[in-house]
Amino acid sequence: MLLTIRSLTKLFPGTRALDGVDFDLKAGEVHALLGENGAGKSTLIKCMTGAYRRDGGTVALEGAEIDPRSTVEAQDLGIGTVYQEVNLLPNLTVAQNLMFGREPRRLGLVHTRAMRAEARAMLRDYGLDLDVDRDLGSYPVAIQQIVAIARAVALSGKVLILDEPTASLDAAEVRMVFDVVRGLRDRGLGIVFVSHFLDQVYALSDRMTV
């Protein structure tokens, strides 16, 4: 078991948003998280990723209890998230987005040629051959999502949380993203898939929690 959550509780003024939630994620699986609007899916994700501090319960990653205090700390532990709205910078190039904050440097300056080469190598793992010098925003949303996934995996590499990633994609784009997700599952990542589209959940997921 890669990620284990036991009795997780989150309180807001006048509201018990999560009340003793249990959740498990195995390495090498896609685990769908389902529920109506307001059921607590986003709150659970934010507790996993350090955006919220939990009020009770435990979260363990690879058997060790964790308590991330920020999304950056969660990334450092190995938990990355990709949202419906691509949380990258459309006015920067693909290479700049992939390498933002960890650019290769030479003599204290960004080593642009090395950054481009590393970005191309990353994308080849996802079956993409892109012009990494083009602005990210010039590409279709599906490509932007795959770039966001590639960045999240590079930063984290253990748990990938996909929060409604296909909401604005057409059928062909959904298939493209799903092929990428299946490849990551086969590499041993644990993937949490949040979606309202039940046909997609059945097509992609190994297990489901409601």
Side-chain angles (χ1 to χ4, degrees):
M1 201 62 66
L2 180 61
L3 184 74
T4 305
I5 295 174
R6 291 291 178 267
S7 301
L8 194 145
T9 301
K10 178 62 184 175
L11 306 174
F12 296 106
T15 302
R16 184 179 290 268
L18 298 175
D19 187 8
V21 172
D22 294 339
F23 183 82
D24 292 315
L25 177 67
K26 297 176 183 178
E29 77 165 349
V30 178
H31 191 148
L33 184 60
L34 306 173
E36 297 177 350
N37 288 334
K41 302 184 301 296
S42 294
T43 301
L44 179 60
I45 287 172
K46 289 178 180 178
C47 289
M48 291 184 201
T49 59
Y52 289 161
R53 302 296 305 283
R54 61 184 182 268
D55 294 302
T58 61
V59 179
L61 181 64
E62 297 180 313
E65 186 171 341
I66 62 171
D67 187 16
R69 297 172 181 270
S70 68
T71 54
V72 172
E73 189 174 332
Q75 284 179 351
D76 291 342
L77 290 167
I79 303 173
T81 310
V82 173
Y83 297 96
Q84 173 183 344
E85 299 297 331
V86 177
N87 53 345
L88 297 179
L89 301 170
N91 59 320
L92 296 185
T93 68
V94 171
Q96 288 170 327
N97 271 285
L98 284 170
M99 305 304 297
F100 189 82
R102 55 192 190 91
E103 301 89 347
R105 294 183 177 271
R106 184 172 62 181
L107 302 177
L109 301 175
V110 173
H111 192 339
T112 304
R113 184 179 299 174
M115 180 175 70
R116 290 169 177 159
E118 190 168 342
R120 291 189 192 100
M122 286 173 62
L123 293 174
R124 277 197 295 271
D125 286 343
Y126 296 84
L128 294 180
D129 182 14
L130 303 181
D131 179 357
V132 298
D133 292 324
R134 272 178 57 180
D135 286 353
L136 179 67
S138 69
Y139 282 102
V141 175
I143 298 297
Q144 295 182 42
Q145 282 285 24
I146 294 171
V147 171
I149 289 170
R151 175 176 168 82
V153 172
L155 289 172
S156 306
K158 295 179 182 176
V159 175
L160 177 63
I161 299 171
L162 301 174
D163 190 0
E164 300 282 359
T166 62
S168 56
L169 305 184
D170 64 27
E173 291 172 327
V174 169
R175 288 194 295 271
M176 183 188 304
V177 171
F178 279 12
D179 285 345
V180 167
V181 173
R182 292 186 182 105
L184 293 172
R185 176 194 61 192
D186 294 345
R187 284 164 48 182
L189 266 73
I191 299 164
V192 179
F193 176 48
V194 181
S195 178
H196 284 95
F197 301 111
L198 292 182
D199 57 334
Q200 295 181 12
V201 167
Y202 281 107
L204 184 65
S205 304
D206 302 297
R207 286 199 294 153
M208 308 172 197
T209 291
V210 181

